[in-house]
Amino acid sequence: MPESPSKTGPETAGPRAAASPPPAEKSAARTEAPRVAAASLVGTTIEYYDFAVYGTASALVLGPAFFPSGNPTVSSLAAFLTFAAAFLSRPLGVVLFGTIGDRLGRRQALVASLLLMGVATVGVGLLPTYETAGLLAPVLLVTLRLLQGLSMGGEWGGAVLLAAEHAPPGRRALYASVPQAGPSLGFLLSSAVILPTLHIAGRDGFADWAWRIPFLLSTVLVVIGLWVRTTVSESPVFRDAAQRTAQASAPAPESRFPLATLLKRYPGRLLLGTGAAIGGSAVYYLTIVYSLSYGPKELGIPQNTMLTAASIGAAAGIAITLPVARLSDRIGRRPVMLTGAVGCVLWAVPMYASLSSRDAWLITGAYTVGLMLLALMFSPVAAFLPELFPARLRYSGASAAFILANTLGGGFAPLVATWLNSRWDSPLVLGFYTGGLCLLSMLCLLALPETRDHEFDS
């Protein structure tokens, strides 16, 4: 029988271990925790840098370069469709890397996902455009986007798990939240590359050839990330669970088919966990991706104004990520996340309404408040989702919930927003759409249990 998501204690943690790792081994793992968290952060930053570069390039030039059309809206929709294509392949990444991570180890899955993302991103930078290769160009672009999405399906769950499962007692959310700064850091890094490239090459030069530079530069970042990730140890929690499975007279079903076992035993937690994260995904992608295209094209806001506003807001969100996580270690995940969800419900309409003013200071202030409220949801979720599932299903469970939320709330957000603005030409519709998804997150959080005190080693 599937278990209710409201259950706590042993069902969530799984059966208690027959034998724990030696004290010296646990002590070594705790000592390594800061280095492991840093390694997780490097990887998620690179992964989201690659994603942010594509999202920004979609908003600026990829539509005309790969999907030429006399209608700018059609070109933008086609470019954002390729952005959404990567989200469609993310669930396949959950299956692939979730199985690797739950059966062979968190670290192996993370190294493979980062390598795949790097190859796909460099490939985008080397692609011929439609003018040169015709229909082959968009076909190759979509293929590489699908590979990027496949890698992203395995990245988030592995990064937060590796950090959380090395964390000292009482600081699980703090360490798990370190890789949560990766998406915003990746966006800031992409802006730090794109803005000067735009300035030096000019808008025409960027559209003609310089858009390739940010994609090709990811080669250096991937090499650094791979080196960092191969120097850290495997999760002690995974090693303990794998040892118990190996000693069992008959392997547990989850050791062979973790995702199938997850869907059979924990469907409620998976659905509610997805709903709990969906609002934050919408806030992030509409702010960081869609509005960078919508503001300049539809409202005449300078591109640099939008990039600067989003960058300052992202930096503010990063600044409070660790303090918010530490707070959730003290008072619980749900109170902090519920505060963020309620705040986003109330602030979504004013935030996007600020675009109508076309005032740089007002937009920057509104985005900064919005992305700080997002941090209240986004920071604790790195510990909250893994805590909903037992160790041998944790990679698949946490990844599936987060990636489904990203796909439904974030991947299709630019498409939905483009359609909404074609019907109602007002930034207010962005606020109502985002606020509705944040309301859904609030309701799902109310239906889920508090997980701060759940046993994590078993």
Side-chain angles (χ1 to χ4, degrees):
M1 292 290 291
E3 295 182 7
S4 166
S6 63
K7 291 182 181 179
T8 61
E11 289 89 358
T12 298
R16 186 166 296 279
S20 297
E25 184 177 330
K26 284 190 173 183
S27 176
R30 304 311 184 210
T31 302
E32 194 184 14
R35 189 158 63 92
V36 172
S40 297
L41 173 61
V42 169
T44 55
T45 299
I46 294 170
E47 295 263 13
Y48 276 91
Y49 164 82
D50 292 344
F51 231 68
V53 163
Y54 186 89
T56 304
S58 293
L60 297 178
V61 300
L62 292 188
F66 288 88
F67 306 96
S69 168
N71 188 327
T73 300
V74 172
S75 291
S76 294
L77 271 172
F80 283 131
L81 271 171
T82 63
F83 184 80
F87 287 85
L88 292 177
S89 61
R90 282 186 176 193
L92 295 177
V94 171
V95 176
L96 174 62
F97 292 105
T99 301
I100 295 173
D102 281 331
R103 294 189 62 180
L104 303 179
R106 321 307 196 197
R107 191 180 68 165
Q108 293 190 49
L110 283 174
V111 170
S113 70
L114 181 59
L115 182 61
L116 180 60
M117 172 62 85
V119 170
T121 302
V122 173
V124 173
L126 296 174
L127 281 180
T129 62
Y130 185 91
E131 184 180 2
T132 303
L135 288 175
L136 180 62
V139 169
L140 291 174
L141 179 63
V142 172
T143 300
L144 290 173
R145 286 297 293 159
L146 291 172
L147 291 178
Q148 282 186 318
L150 193 70
S151 74
M152 286 292 288
E155 171 61 29
W156 183 86
V160 299
L161 276 187
L162 201 62
E165 291 181 343
H166 277 85
R171 297 196 172 191
R172 194 184 303 149
L174 177 65
Y175 280 83
S177 72
V178 172
Q180 285 294 80
S184 293
L185 279 175
F187 169 73
L188 290 175
L189 189 57
S190 72
S191 297
V193 173
I194 289 173
L195 283 173
T197 304
L198 265 171
H199 178 73
I200 294 170
R203 185 66 183 249
D204 291 339
F206 189 85
D208 187 35
W209 60 270
W211 63 269
R212 301 178 184 274
I213 293 175
F215 290 99
L216 298 177
L217 283 178
S218 69
T219 305
V220 178
L221 301 175
V222 170
V223 170
I224 294 172
L226 287 172
W227 174 75
V228 172
R229 283 194 167 174
T230 54
T231 61
V232 300
S233 66
E234 182 54 83
S235 157
V237 176
F238 172 80
R239 288 200 306 266
D240 183 35
Q243 184 180 16
R244 293 198 312 275
T245 300
Q247 293 172 348
S249 57
E254 58 262 33
S255 67
R256 297 191 299 268
F257 309 109
L259 187 62
T261 306
L262 173 74
L263 294 172
K264 180 180 179 180
R265 294 177 57 187
Y266 299 95
R269 291 178 192 173
L270 178 59
L271 289 175
L272 289 174
T274 298
I278 199 170
S281 295
V283 173
Y284 179 84
Y285 283 101
L286 284 178
T287 304
I288 298 299
V289 176
Y290 177 75
S291 69
L292 299 186
S293 170
Y294 174 73
K297 290 182 179 179
E298 302 298 329
L299 301 176
I301 302 171
Q303 189 71 59
N304 283 353
T305 296
M306 294 304 304
L307 281 170
T308 301
S311 297
I312 291 174
I318 292 171
I320 68 168
T321 293
L322 295 185
V324 166
R326 191 71 186 106
L327 179 64
S328 79
D329 275 329
R330 291 174 177 168
I331 67 172
R333 323 300 187 212
R334 290 173 74 246
V336 178
M337 294 177 68
L338 280 168
T339 301
V342 172
C344 285
V345 169
L346 298 176
W347 188 248
V349 171
M351 178 170 68
Y352 293 112
S354 70
L355 296 175
S356 297
S357 72
R358 298 172 176 79
D359 181 86
W361 291 101
L362 188 60
I363 295 170
T364 300
Y367 272 35
T368 299
V369 172
L371 290 174
M372 290 178 74
L373 289 171
L374 170 63
L376 295 181
M377 289 193 289
F378 202 58
S379 179
V381 80
F384 182 67
L385 292 181
E387 287 165 347
L388 293 173
F389 306 100
R392 292 297 286 176
L393 300 174
R394 193 169 289 145
Y395 200 125
S396 297
S399 295
F402 189 79
I403 293 306
L404 282 173
N406 257 228
T407 301
L408 299 175
F412 292 101
L415 287 174
V416 174
T418 300
W419 179 80
L420 288 174
N421 275 300
S422 70
R423 299 288 301 274
W424 298 279
D425 187 17
S426 169
L428 292 179
V429 298
L430 303 180
F432 289 119
Y433 173 62
T434 306
L437 290 179
C438 290
L439 179 62
L440 175 61
S441 288
M442 183 186 74
L443 295 175
C444 289
L445 284 167
L446 290 172
L448 283 165
E450 177 56 60
T451 61
R452 180 188 60 164
D453 298 324
H454 284 180
E455 179 64 41
F456 210 51
D457 287 342
S458 54

